[in-house]
Structure formats: C-alpha cells, structure tokens
Amino acid sequence: MRVIAKKILREFWEKHNDAEQPLKTWYKEASKSTWLNPSEIKSEYPKASILKAGRVVFNICGNKYRLVVDVNYERHWLFIRFIGTHSKYDNIDANKI
C-alpha cells in the first residue's frame, strides 16, 4: 500500500515523542501490505476499527493515540486523515474527516 502524507505522521511524532517508534512501525508494515479488503486489515490489526466508506482507525501506543486512514483498496492507497490523542479523536467524526 502507498501511504499518502507521511509528513503528517512525522509532524505528529515530533510533538509526541512516544508515538515515533509505533508510527514508524505502522508505516513500514502498512507500506509493505497488500490489503484487498477490511478483513485483511483486521487479520493483521485485530483492534483496528473498520468504519464505513473505507475508513479505518488504528490504535497507536496502546490506544493513547488514534490514526484514521481512508483506504482505496483498488489503487492500494492509504490516505492519512487524522492522527491525534484519544480525546481529540472523540471530538471528530472519523467518517467525514
């Protein structure tokens, strides 16, 4: 999968140092993946939340942070839509952001 907007992740871990290694690991794993559907993501990330319209929420740092991506399975793209604390995540609509 091609991860679009790694810069967003980098800017986040520069402010939240504890997220750097987990986000780098997620990015490396996601970049190497060939997910064709949500169930393939769930098999690798059982705690990920599958939302409607291709959105997936990943828990980072034991659910301290939330990463929302928009997945295009046909083109093998992952678009970073949101990365933030759990409390900031509670204030957004992950299906629309």
Side-chain angles (χ1 to χ4, degrees), residues 3 5-29 31 60-61 64-67 80 82-85:
V3 180
K6 182 180 181 183
K7 179 182 177 186
I8 294 170
L9 300 179
R10 188 177 319 110
E11 289 172 350
F12 187 80
W13 76 55
E14 287 172 355
K15 293 177 185 173
H16 304 274
N17 294 336
D18 60 332
E20 181 175 4
Q21 197 54 51
L23 286 172
K24 284 182 175 179
T25 299
W26 177 87
Y27 179 85
K28 184 178 179 181
E29 290 171 355
S31 295
I60 306 295
C61 288
K64 184 176 181 180
Y65 306 114
R66 291 275 179 103
L67 172 63
I80 306 295
F82 172 86
I83 178 71
T85 63

Side-chain angles (χ1 to χ4, degrees), residues 59-74:
N59 298 320
I60 306 295
C61 288
N63 206 20
K64 184 176 181 180
Y65 306 114
R66 291 275 179 103
L67 172 63
V68 179
V69 300
D70 187 3
V71 184
N72 184 316
Y73 296 100
E74 281 184 20

Side-chain angles (χ1 to χ4, degrees), residues 24-45:
K24 284 182 175 179
T25 299
W26 177 87
Y27 179 85
K28 184 178 179 181
E29 290 171 355
S31 295
K32 291 181 178 180
S33 70
T34 56
W35 298 319
L36 299 175
N37 56 56
S39 63
E40 290 185 2
I41 293 175
K42 286 293 278 185
S43 69
E44 192 170 337
Y45 290 94

Side-chain angles (χ1 to χ4, degrees), residues 38 41 50-56 69-73 78 95:
I41 293 175
I50 307 299
L51 307 179
K52 56 186 170 183
R55 299 293 170 102
V56 180
V69 300
D70 187 3
V71 184
N72 184 316
Y73 296 100
L78 295 170
N95 288 304

